[in-house]
Amino acid sequence: MRPVWSGSLSLGLVTVPVRLYSAVEDHTVHFRQFQRGTEDRIRYRRVNERTGKEVGYDDIVKGYELDNGEYVVVEPEELDEIAPGRSKSLDIESFVELDAVDPMFFDKTYWLAPAKEEFERPYALLLEAMRSSGRAGIAKFVMRGREYLALVRSGDGVMVLNTLHFAADLRDPAEQLPDLPGKAKSRGKELDMAVNLIDAMSYDWRPEEYRDTYTDRVRKLIKAKKKGETITPATEPGEPTKVVDLFEALSKSVESGKAKKDKDLSSLSKADLEKLARERDIKGRSKMTRAGLEKALKAS
């Protein structure tokens, strides 16, 4: 795997050369574009609008448009020069509790690994220190001509770097959305039932249980069309719930959620049931049979 960025991680006077690797793989089905009714590919080219001729990457520079319609042209080297050190430096400026960072700020996920074997010791020290403290470092660095705010944290044997949105990048919902439910009031019984629904649908986070089903259906569609077959359309979304039916809809949803949770418990091994009982601090769990564990978990 090739690194997307190379530089140095700095914490106080400790500097560790590191490399940044993408931790996410794209599984989206990618299509080419064709003119309808033909096998003619549609291609995008970088064309000089005056001459109509294609231009190579090396001959392209960036230009910023001024108010009078003129442009200021900027070379890539000039952008690097105004950020001395930043292009190759990842400076941790402070540490925060990971739970204190609102998920709205998270953007992309990367791995941060030592550049060479000789730097593994200071890297491992910082990794263990962050794991022990339960805190994550806030840093800034420049990559591909853009400055990023980043969060560096301890992962499973490797540092994880999440790029973050700057506060100025996040929109204010009160300014952007005209129909926020500020005047709508929730009724006591409906609120209690909604909380019960959340409880009934609450599980331990198991990311491996979730997959991109839309991409699966796209692949099935491609195979079906290749064979000249058809595929069953997906189910249409349900009708909006009427306000007068809200409590009844919540009640039925709670029962459905409890039934699903009970069914899921029966599919777990006894070891998994014991682990779940330990997490919920169920008393006497060590002496319970499988049936007893299921019953205690359903009641918890």
Side-chain angles (χ1 to χ4, degrees):
M1 182 185 297
R2 296 182 60 183
V4 297
W5 180 88
S6 298
S8 295
L9 172 66
S10 298
L11 174 59
L13 298 178
V14 179
T15 300
V16 184
V18 291
R19 291 173 180 162
L20 195 67
Y21 299 86
S22 178
V24 178
E25 185 176 0
D26 182 14
H27 288 93
T28 305
V29 176
H30 295 279
F31 292 94
R32 304 287 188 184
Q33 291 185 322
F34 294 83
Q35 183 175 350
R36 190 186 303 278
T38 74
E39 293 185 359
D40 300 338
R41 285 274 306 275
I42 304 298
R43 297 181 183 274
Y44 293 95
R45 291 178 176 154
R46 300 168 302 280
V47 176
N48 183 314
E49 66 177 17
R50 179 178 59 83
T51 66
K53 295 181 179 180
E54 189 170 355
V55 181
Y57 275 116
D58 292 341
D59 293 324
I60 296 177
V61 294
K62 295 182 178 181
Y64 181 82
E65 187 174 7
L66 302 175
D67 293 337
N68 60 5
E70 295 182 352
Y71 288 86
V72 174
V73 176
V74 180
E75 296 285 348
E77 310 84 62
E78 294 177 310
L79 292 173
D80 290 336
E81 289 174 358
I82 62 172
R86 285 284 188 183
S87 296
K88 294 296 179 183
S89 179
L90 177 65
D91 299 322
I92 294 181
E93 301 178 358
S94 62
F95 284 89
V96 299
E97 297 289 343
L98 187 56
D99 292 344
V101 182
D102 191 312
M104 280 239 351
F105 285 91
F106 283 84
D107 186 18
K108 295 183 179 180
T109 305
Y110 298 89
W111 290 316
L112 197 62
K116 294 182 180 179
E117 185 176 347
E118 61 190 276
F119 305 121
E120 288 184 359
R121 184 181 174 189
Y123 174 93
L125 176 65
L126 296 180
L127 178 67
E128 178 61 21
M130 283 191 284
R131 188 197 65 78
S132 298
S133 69
R135 293 183 176 88
I138 300 296
K140 286 198 294 187
F141 72 110
V142 173
M143 178 172 64
R144 298 170 181 166
R146 176 183 170 188
E147 185 173 56
Y148 288 88
L149 182 65
L151 182 140
V152 181
R153 57 191 173 89
S154 172
D156 187 9
V158 65
M159 289 186 194
V160 177
L161 182 146
N162 291 97
T163 53
L164 304 175
H165 298 294
F166 286 97
D169 297 334
L170 300 181
R171 293 174 172 174
D172 184 348
E175 295 179 358
Q176 303 293 330
L177 306 178
D179 299 321
L180 289 178
K183 297 180 180 179
K185 300 296 182 181
S186 57
R187 298 176 181 176
K189 290 185 178 180
E190 292 175 347
L191 178 58
D192 291 341
M193 192 59 70
V195 172
N196 290 339
L197 176 57
I198 292 174
D199 290 339
M201 296 179 65
S202 295
Y203 295 83
D204 293 326
W205 168 234
R206 296 188 180 95
E208 66 279 0
E209 294 182 359
Y210 299 87
R211 59 178 294 118
D212 182 358
T213 56
Y214 175 70
T215 296
D216 291 342
R217 290 187 64 84
V218 171
R219 295 186 188 280
K220 288 180 180 179
L221 173 63
I222 293 170
K223 289 182 179 180
K225 288 184 70 68
K226 184 178 179 181
K227 296 178 181 179
E229 301 172 350
T230 58
I231 190 168
T232 305
T235 305
E236 291 289 337
E239 293 293 325
T241 302
K242 297 179 180 178
V243 175
V244 293
D245 300 329
L246 184 56
F247 186 81
E248 182 181 357
L250 286 169
S251 301
K252 291 181 178 179
S253 299
V254 169
E255 294 304 317
S256 177
K258 289 180 177 178
K260 183 178 183 298
K261 182 170 284 189
D262 291 346
K263 181 181 179 181
D264 290 344
L265 286 175
S266 64
S267 66
L268 297 178
S269 66
K270 186 178 179 183
D272 287 336
L273 291 173
E274 289 173 343
K275 179 182 178 182
L276 193 56
R278 186 165 58 253
E279 291 173 352
R280 297 185 186 179
D281 196 25
I282 293 177
K283 306 301 181 183
R285 57 184 179 271
S286 61
K287 298 180 181 179
M288 291 183 182
T289 62
R290 178 190 174 86
L293 286 168
E294 283 192 36
K295 182 177 180 181
L297 287 168
K298 290 175 184 178
S300 66

